[in-house]
């Protein structure tokens, strides 16, 4: 049985960039449904006592386990997304992460452009990520419930670009939501860890 991970801040903590109503629905309805469905699907199966990561790795690319993979991936991605934001986040990273971003992207601005482009250009539902690929930082995007941990990559930061993540606050203006995330919410302390 998986329990929902607690939100690391209050529902209104990310205002005015993401309003409490969005977080209440996103956390309390969407994320909750993934966790509940996963628990139902794994009850009495070989997956019942595995970690989320193990379930994701064992069900990825196995069509007969698509439902379990989708719910496990979404549960994991959302837990990573809650932590990828902070009321005091956004702007430039510092320290070692700053140096690594400058080394692998050329500059913070080039990283920002790549991340924004991935988030805006993900067609339909999905996620944009900053990942560590064998020591090199890269930006990738994934569709639906796909997740870098199924691909052997180490995620540092993510943004949810499913419409439920931003529609109440930004309607169809996904690019404005991505700007708010990058400039005011991105949790660089979490990414550095
Ligand atoms: Mn979501």
């Amino acid at each position: 049985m998986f329990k929902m991970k607690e939100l690391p801040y209050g529902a209104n903590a990310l205002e005015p960039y993401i309003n409490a109503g969005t977080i209440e629905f996103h956390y309390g309805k969407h994320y909750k449904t993934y966790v509940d469905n996963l628990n139902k699907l794994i009850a009495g199966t070989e997956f019942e006592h595995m970690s989320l990561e193990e379930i994701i790795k064992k069900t990825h690319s196995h069509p007969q386990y698509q439902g379990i993979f989708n719910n496990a991936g979404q549960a994991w991605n959302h837990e990573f997304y809650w932590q990828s934001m902070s009321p005091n986040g956004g702007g430039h990273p510092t320290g070692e992460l700053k140096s690594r971003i400058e080394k692998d992207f050329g500059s913070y601005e080039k990283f920002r452009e790549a991340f924004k482009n991935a988030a805006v250009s993900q067609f339909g539902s999905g996620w944009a990520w900053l990942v560590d690929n064998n020591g090199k930082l890269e930006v990738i995007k994934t569709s639906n419930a796909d997740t870098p941990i199924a691909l052997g990559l180490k995620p540092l930061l993510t943004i949810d670009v499913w419409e439920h993540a931003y529609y109440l606050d930004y309607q169809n203006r996904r690019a404005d939501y991505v700007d708010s995330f990058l400039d005011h919410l991105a949790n660089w302390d979490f990414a550095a860890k």
Side-chain angles (χ1 to χ4, degrees):
M1 276 281 286
F2 288 100
K3 284 199 187 129
M4 292 170 75
K5 288 262 159 62
E6 257 181 70
L7 261 187
Y9 34 73
N12 64 355
L14 306 180
E15 291 184 351
Y17 308 108
I18 298 180
N19 285 305
T22 294
I23 295 290
E24 279 159 8
F25 261 83
H26 200 176
Y27 179 86
K29 306 274 186 202
H30 292 274
Y31 166 57
K32 179 177 192 299
T33 300
Y34 297 126
V35 175
D36 289 348
N37 284 343
L38 177 64
N39 284 327
K40 277 183 215 152
L41 288 167
I42 61 173
T45 73
E46 62 189 290
F47 303 109
E48 194 169 19
H49 300 292
M50 291 182 193
S51 68
L52 263 187
E53 288 84 350
E54 278 178 288
I55 293 174
I56 287 166
K57 285 174 184 160
K58 287 200 189 314
T59 58
H60 185 242
S61 308
H62 292 282
Q64 72 272 36
Y65 297 130
Q66 187 77 49
I68 293 177
F69 175 79
N70 285 343
N71 286 284
Q74 284 295 80
W76 196 93
N77 287 355
H78 280 88
E79 288 165 12
F80 203 81
Y81 172 64
W82 309 134
Q83 299 177 84
S84 290
M85 298 187 289
S86 156
N88 311 310
H92 292 241
T94 56
E96 192 197 337
L97 189 54
K98 174 181 190 280
S99 321
R100 288 191 57 191
I101 282 180
E102 287 168 356
K103 175 171 159 280
D104 292 336
F105 292 94
S107 65
Y108 168 79
E109 285 68 28
K110 288 209 171 114
F111 152 75
R112 194 189 184 288
E113 192 184 325
F115 190 90
K116 183 174 177 181
N117 185 46
V120 171
S121 68
Q122 168 57 35
F123 185 74
S125 296
W127 304 80
W129 304 83
L130 173 65
V131 299
D132 182 325
N133 181 2
N134 278 317
K136 187 170 188 291
L137 298 185
E138 294 175 355
V139 164
I140 66 162
K141 52 188 176 180
T142 61
S143 292
N144 300 319
D146 241 333
T147 178
I149 60 168
L151 311 168
L153 303 167
K154 190 176 166 196
L156 277 69
L157 196 74
T158 193
I159 182 171
D160 184 345
V161 295
W162 287 56
E163 281 187 345
H164 64 230
Y166 61 90
Y167 212 82
L168 295 176
D169 297 317
Y170 297 90
Q171 292 77 48
N172 62 330
R173 292 175 286 113
R174 190 193 285 186
D176 291 351
Y177 159 64
V178 178
D179 281 338
S180 288
F181 176 92
L182 283 164
D183 295 338
H184 302 286
L185 301 174
N187 187 349
W188 288 120
D189 292 338
F190 172 67
K193 274 194 258 169

